[in-house]
Amino acid sequence: PFGLKPFFAQASNLRTNAGGNPWSHTSRGASVGQRRRPNEVEGHPPHLRRGGARPGAQRQLHLPRPRHRSFPHRRGGVRAGVELRLLRPAPQRRLLLHAQELQRPHLPRGRGDGPDHPVARRDKDADRGDGQGLARHGVRPAPPELLPFHGRAVPAPRHGPLAVLGHEPRERGRFADRQRARLQNRHGGVSLGVLRSLHGPAALAAPDNAPAALPAPDAERKDLEEEGPRAARPWRADRDMEVRKWEEMLAVGIPMFMRHHPVTFQRRLHRGVPPTLRWQIWKDACGYDWRGPVEQYDELCGDSQWSPLIALDIGRTFSELPEFGESRQQSLRRVLNAYANHSPTVGYCQGMNFIAGLLLLVSGSERETFGVFVRLMDHDGLAGFYREDMPLLRTYVKACDRLVAEQLPELREHFLRESVPLALYLHQWFLTLFIKSFPLATVLVLWDVIICGGLPGILTIAVTILRVLKDGLLNLQFEEINSIFKAMKEQKSGEFLSYRIGQLLMRESTAVGLPEHIQEYLRSKPEAEAREGPLEDDEDEEHWSALAARHDTPRRRRPGATRKHRLAASAARQAPQEKCDWAERGCTLAERELACLVLDDLKIETLEPEPDPVARNLAAALAAAGVCLDDASLSADDALYLGVAPRA
Amino acid sequence: MASEKEKDQYDYLFKFIIIGDAGAGKSCLLHQFIENRYKKGSSHTIGVEFGSKIIHVGGRNIKLQIWDTAGQERYRSVTRSYYRGAAGALIVYDITNRDSYNHLVNWLQDARTLARADTSIITVGNKCDMKDKRAVTFLEASRCAQENDILFLETSALTGEGVEDVFIKVARVILNKIEDGLIDPNTMVSGTHTGSQRIGSDSGGEAMSSKTCSC
């Protein structure tokens, strides 16, 4: 049934279409499908036929194809169109996928509609007729050798029915690279589970041995020789691809992509944004506009009534960072004054300096920083945190309390018993968007999610952090809990691990989600209504249960079972501790919990050899497990990519 | 371990709150008291921060739970709830900054209205190492404190001068009030409660109600 005739027939058809504007018809060429509809390819089973009313067909018509992890052959480009005809999954499966996409509750947030609609812009560009339209947007047409009638055999897809017909899959190439990198990099960086399956358990046995010395299967050996030890630079294979993916998304427009491919977007986002593109992505995601207040920046950045307080605080913002020197401090002063002049009702409030400061660190451009800052404050509602009486803070703390009560009830009870006020940690987390509480490398990953996914994401992040630390926190008393929260800012384990922890936290956060009734609470609680009174007031229980009943969302479970090493780690926790002061112990525990997170990711199920029960920090715990992931193993090149400084 | 346990035992638990204008040096004062060293390059407080230390006053071990608040006026809405449980309040101003001294009245009013009537209040003139930049004289401030019937001391969080005295002085006043029967140490609301060691997994819930003296 999959003879060559229909394949070529369609391929030639595609070719005739290739000179036109593929974007206006989608990569699969709607016009092709429509033209062919009267005489569908005979002999194809129904699910392989084109045309016909399919659910979701309307939606897909003018959009780039979604990429599904399970269907790597489904991607944009002419060649993909050729493959798709033969390999499209059954309609039922497609329906299911769409349903899954639509059910994602917390993404996306629509922005960017209007005359400047990215697709409209792109189509216009592509129509200029110079043949560069697609290239301008980072879309490459299929290489000529992959198109038929070039005197070559048509390469066979590596999967699906054609592969069975005896065509040899291509040994290497974009496709193979992609597949391999996907395997190695399922979670954006290291997956030693895969490494171990490739090289055997010896790969993890001796921490001191460089993984380069490990026996590698033939297929991988060449790579290892060329690229050096994979375990030392596991993210490398993925690096160019990540950048390419994000460039493609930028070409489409982040809000646009986010809206139409929420699942893909979320997955990529949780891996962390390539640092080289971070600022562009943030600008695009938050809808930066060079007009409006940005145009008036020069007039706005003069002194305001808040200048004395701002002047007091700029010296106290990122004072530990050498990058935040005198010139950045002056930039920060101007940006904050400009915002105070732009929005006198908000003016300046402590905490805003960290937000603007981090934006300055990432962007390097004062004017753009101001633009994005205004956008975050006014459009995303961050200003509600800093306005008089901090109305939005109240709302978010209550929503977070509720979320903790639903998802981590035992932890909430423990906190109540120990009289740990929510404000002790939540205020700092929310008012500085985690900057003051976590290492910067972690914060950047969290911010990727907050800026692209919207402010409610901070609730998910907060609950995820508590969830990860839960086992440790449950054994602690008030003062130790306090020191854990303080100690998380300490960066004992190096920037790379902080970055990894950020990624892993974000991956964990998919298990938390943001239930519909919490979202409704956030929507239904306009700032003006926020009540007076202490924050710890219990929200009306009836109100909550009514909200929850209206949206009966089942609680999501964390992917994967609790692993043995968690037990091992908790046993280690309960082992008699050496004498140490509270802060040190708190730090140890926080790090150990986070170490569990990393170990979990690495699929290390047992800690062999058993880790030192008093392993003091993450690096030690990981070294005990044979994982060498410290900054010292970063090359300058990779460090540059990750945006971290390699440790000498 | 034994010495550790002994160290962690206390007879009373006092809650303190530190308030005052932004930049007066509240966090540095607390850090100096707890760690006995100056905190360099610290950033401003967001919301509240917490620290604790056990001191020895009048033959008793007293544990101080100290809540350090953000100074900006806008944060009053979130720091307000911490006044309620405080047995002692430190109002900190900067002796080189006349404005922070002028705002003492507002802070005092806040403390009087939001905290309990029997809360012991002390005014602390911080940064007394910067004598050449002094904008508020010792005499003026102490007279003001006398008028308002509150305690007064000058300190330097940088050098540590007078820091411990502030806390000891307030603790002693509270202790006197307890011994005179003016404060019932067994009520949580008063910001003081009697404690015993809080080591191990038992939370102090029950221990609060029974006074156990370990000395």
Side-chain angles (χ1 to χ4, degrees):
Chain A
F2 302 104
L4 283 182
K5 197 182 169 216
F7 180 79
F8 277 116
Q10 290 164 24
S12 66
N13 218 330
L14 262 179
R15 196 164 165 257
T16 56
N17 188 39
N21 174 13
W23 275 109
S24 61
H25 308 297
T26 79
S27 57
R28 290 194 286 127
S31 66
V32 179
Q34 281 154 12
R35 230 179 305 144
R36 288 203 63 85
R37 195 177 298 160
N39 53 344
E40 281 287 344
V41 182
E42 281 124 18
H44 280 201
H47 68 274
L48 293 177
R49 276 188 209 140
R50 295 203 54 79
R54 281 191 314 273
Q58 199 63 32
R59 194 176 136 258
Q60 293 163 10
L61 204 58
H62 296 289
L63 297 173
R65 300 283 312 134
R67 292 181 192 174
H68 292 291
R69 195 210 298 253
S70 11
F71 300 99
H73 53 280
R74 297 177 61 194
R75 50 162 196 218
V78 179
R79 188 181 157 223
V82 174
E83 284 174 17
L84 266 170
R85 286 164 179 262
L86 298 153
L87 303 171
R88 196 183 314 128
Q92 296 90 330
R93 175 82 177 124
R94 290 163 53 78
L95 238 172
L96 192 69
L97 286 168
H98 287 299
Q100 281 170 354
E101 278 184 31
L102 294 172
Q103 274 169 4
R104 291 292 161 143
H106 45 288
L107 279 174
R109 187 174 38 151
R111 282 204 203 116
D113 274 325
D116 268 346
H117 199 279
V119 164
R121 251 188 289 142
R122 187 192 51 216
D123 284 353
K124 209 173 136 204
D125 268 12
D127 277 341
R128 273 188 222 159
D130 54 1
Q132 294 295 309
L134 295 178
R136 262 198 301 277
H137 293 285
V139 181
R140 283 179 312 280
E145 69 270 19
L146 295 182
L147 291 172
F149 305 116
H150 275 260
R152 294 185 183 202
V154 178
R158 298 184 65 229
H159 302 285
L162 276 189
V164 193
L165 291 181
H167 294 272
E168 277 295 310
R170 281 156 54 88
E171 189 56 41
R172 295 183 64 117
R174 264 177 70 198
F175 206 65
D177 288 346
R178 196 177 272 250
Q179 278 294 87
R180 199 172 49 238
R182 184 170 281 134
L183 260 180
Q184 285 156 0
N185 254 309
R186 268 176 309 176
H187 307 306
V190 201
S191 184
L192 284 207
V194 173
L195 184 77
R196 186 165 53 176
S197 68
L198 291 176
H199 306 313
L204 299 172
D208 294 329
N209 287 0
L214 299 168
D218 286 345
E220 300 291 327
R221 181 162 290 164
K222 200 167 167 236
D223 280 351
L224 288 179
E225 282 163 7
E226 279 172 5
E227 298 173 15
R230 197 173 291 269
R233 295 181 289 184
W235 51 89
R236 167 160 263 202
D238 208 38
R239 179 172 57 187
D240 298 339
M241 200 170 301
E242 283 292 302
V243 172
R244 207 185 302 147
K245 281 177 186 169
W246 280 97
E247 278 171 349
E248 281 172 17
M249 285 193 273
L250 274 172
V252 178
I254 298 286
M256 176 77 174
F257 191 90
M258 201 157 53
R259 206 171 329 144
H260 292 292
H261 309 286
V263 180
T264 312
F265 185 77
Q266 202 186 7
R267 193 175 61 239
R268 292 177 182 178
L269 188 63
H270 287 177
R271 286 201 295 258
V273 159
T276 44
L277 296 176
R278 180 165 272 130
W279 183 245
Q280 264 176 288
I281 290 163
W282 283 7
K283 269 199 311 184
D284 197 29
C286 76
Y288 169 80
D289 192 348
W290 57 270
R291 292 159 298 187
V294 182
E295 273 181 317
Q296 303 157 12
Y297 179 70
D298 292 330
E299 295 109 71
L300 288 172
C301 70
D303 279 359
S304 65
Q305 56 155 321
W306 297 97
S307 295
L309 192 55
I310 292 173
L312 190 67
D313 283 346
I314 55 165
R316 305 199 277 179
T317 314
F318 297 121
S319 52
E320 72 281 4
L321 288 185
E323 295 91 337
F324 212 86
E326 181 61 27
S327 69
R328 279 234 165 81
Q329 287 186 356
Q330 291 313 316
S331 302
L332 179 63
R333 187 177 55 79
R334 285 190 292 271
V335 169
L336 290 174
N337 273 316
Y339 185 77
N341 287 324
H342 162 76
S343 180
T345 51
V346 181
Y348 169 73
C349 174
Q350 289 181 332
M352 280 161 62
N353 52 336
F354 285 109
I355 310 284
L358 185 64
L359 291 176
L360 263 178
L361 277 173
V362 174
S363 82
S365 154
E366 205 176 303
R367 193 176 283 266
E368 287 186 358
T369 299
F370 175 65
V372 171
F373 186 62
V374 167
R375 209 48 210 174
L376 285 180
M377 294 288 281
D378 297 352
H379 186 268
D380 288 359
L382 196 60
F385 279 156
Y386 303 113
R387 194 166 288 146
E388 193 67 48
D389 277 342
M390 306 184 164
L392 200 61
L393 181 67
R394 206 175 288 269
T395 308
Y396 267 73
V397 168
K398 277 182 180 164
C400 189
D401 187 33
R402 181 64 194 180
L403 206 54
V404 172
E406 281 170 16
Q407 305 215 356
L408 309 164
E410 61 280 61
L411 187 67
R412 185 168 183 270
E413 265 173 41
H414 180 67
F415 276 12
L416 284 177
R417 225 177 10 248
E418 290 292 326
S419 38
V420 180
L422 287 169
L424 188 64
Y425 50 98
L426 281 187
H427 284 178
Q428 208 177 71
W429 290 2
F430 289 172
L431 286 173
T432 64
L433 297 185
F434 303 99
I435 295 172
K436 208 166 176 280
S437 318
F438 293 90
L440 271 192
T442 310
V443 170
L444 286 177
V445 185
L446 306 188
W447 269 50
D448 291 340
V449 175
I450 296 167
I451 290 188
C452 295
L455 200 54
I458 61 176
L459 289 177
T460 321
I461 296 173
V463 174
T464 308
I465 294 164
L466 291 176
R467 184 192 178 98
V468 167
L469 297 175
K470 190 184 87 176
D471 292 351
L473 291 174
L474 279 176
N475 293 326
L476 299 180
Q477 293 166 2
F478 174 72
E479 280 162 39
E480 294 166 297
I481 293 172
N482 179 52
S483 52
I484 274 213
F485 287 130
K486 268 190 192 165
M488 286 194 298
K489 176 79 183 168
E490 302 291 320
Q491 200 173 281
K492 277 192 179 172
S493 337
E495 282 193 306
F496 176 49
L497 273 175
S498 306
Y499 188 84
R500 285 294 295 150
I501 286 168
Q503 287 182 327
L504 294 172
L505 279 176
M506 288 304 93
R507 191 158 62 92
E508 288 275 314
S509 74
T510 50
V512 172
L514 200 57
E516 197 50 45
H517 64 278
I518 301 278
Q519 292 185 41
E520 192 184 323
Y521 174 75
L522 293 180
R523 280 192 300 267
S524 70
K525 205 78 179 172
E527 294 172 17
E529 271 182 34
R531 279 185 303 159
E532 275 289 300
L535 280 166
E536 278 71 30
D537 271 4
D538 268 346
E539 187 66 29
D540 189 2
E541 184 58 35
E542 276 178 31
H543 176 63
W544 277 119
S545 38
L547 266 182
R550 212 177 319 152
H551 311 276
D552 192 15
T553 34
R555 225 177 109 187
R556 293 203 224 166
R557 296 206 155 267
R558 187 177 155 221
T562 306
R563 295 181 192 285
K564 281 183 197 165
H565 79 264
R566 274 201 171 271
L567 295 178
S570 75
R573 256 199 309 274
Q574 281 152 13
Q577 296 252 352
E578 281 179 16
K579 201 166 123 184
C580 57
D581 63 295
W582 292 125
E584 197 184 341
R585 197 188 295 179
C587 186
T588 312
L589 287 170
E591 289 221 326
R592 198 174 288 161
E593 286 303 320
L594 294 173
C596 286
L597 194 68
V598 177
L599 293 176
D600 208 15
D601 176 58
L602 301 178
K603 308 262 182 300
I604 297 171
E605 304 205 355
T606 48
L607 292 174
E608 297 282 359
E610 187 68 18
D612 176 12
V614 284
R616 268 309 156 86
N617 57 41
L618 183 50
L622 288 172
V627 186
C628 179
L629 284 181
D630 216 341
D631 288 358
S633 61
L634 286 178
S635 73
D637 200 19
D638 297 319
L640 192 70
Y641 170 73
L642 290 165
V644 304
R647 196 187 285 167
Chain B
M1 283 305 272
S3 66
E4 176 99 342
K5 252 182 193 170
E6 230 160 64
K7 216 175 117 190
D8 262 25
Q9 282 178 337
Y10 54 88
D11 308 311
Y12 293 112
L13 176 71
F14 294 169
K15 279 190 189 173
F16 279 16
I17 183 169
I18 308 182
I19 51 180
D21 267 18
K26 298 179 291 299
S27 301
C28 289
L29 192 75
L30 176 63
H31 195 264
Q32 174 65 258
F33 173 61
I34 288 174
E35 307 280 333
N36 288 321
R37 60 170 188 269
Y38 179 66
K39 192 179 181 186
K40 231 174 149 183
S42 67
S43 62
H44 52 80
T45 309
I46 298 282
V48 287
E49 276 179 22
F50 171 83
S52 73
K53 188 176 181 175
I54 294 180
I55 53 170
H56 198 72
V57 177
R60 306 268 184 174
N61 282 327
I62 294 173
K63 178 163 190 168
L64 300 184
Q65 274 195 349
I66 306 154
W67 296 90
D68 172 28
T69 63
Q72 195 184 352
E73 186 161 348
R74 204 165 288 182
Y75 277 88
R76 283 193 200 187
S77 59
V78 297
T79 54
R80 201 180 275 155
S81 55
Y82 293 90
Y83 286 78
R84 277 185 300 179
L90 277 65
I91 307 179
V92 184
Y93 73 91
D94 175 0
I95 63 157
T96 65
N97 180 350
R98 185 83 205 170
D99 282 346
S100 72
Y101 174 75
N102 293 340
H103 294 157
L104 269 188
V105 195
N106 305 345
W107 289 111
L108 188 62
Q109 197 184 355
D110 264 18
R112 289 252 159 89
T113 50
L114 294 168
R116 278 170 57 99
D118 53 17
T119 301
S120 309
I121 302 171
I122 186 168
T123 310
V124 181
N126 195 22
K127 309 193 188 178
C128 72
D129 53 297
M130 299 165 81
K131 289 195 170 67
D132 46 337
K133 290 188 186 167
R134 181 187 279 276
V136 184
T137 63
F138 183 89
L139 198 67
E140 182 185 7
S142 65
R143 193 172 297 149
C144 168
Q146 221 165 17
E147 280 167 20
N148 288 295
D149 194 23
I150 52 179
L151 306 166
F152 170 68
L153 271 182
E154 278 194 354
T155 63
S156 164
L158 181 68
T159 63
E161 183 190 338
V163 173
E164 195 144 5
D165 298 343
V166 171
F167 292 89
I168 290 176
K169 196 166 182 178
V170 182
R172 185 166 289 140
V173 170
I174 298 171
L175 201 61
N176 288 342
K177 283 185 185 171
I178 289 175
E179 277 158 10
D180 295 348
L182 296 173
I183 298 180
D184 177 9
N186 292 323
T187 55
M188 289 285 282
V189 200
S190 69
T192 68
H193 27 99
T194 53
S196 58
Q197 85 252 31
R198 276 166 48 109
I199 290 182
S201 58
D202 61 326
S203 86
E206 289 82 22
M208 302 288 175
S209 50
S210 63
K211 183 175 172 180
T212 50
C213 181
S214 61
C215 31

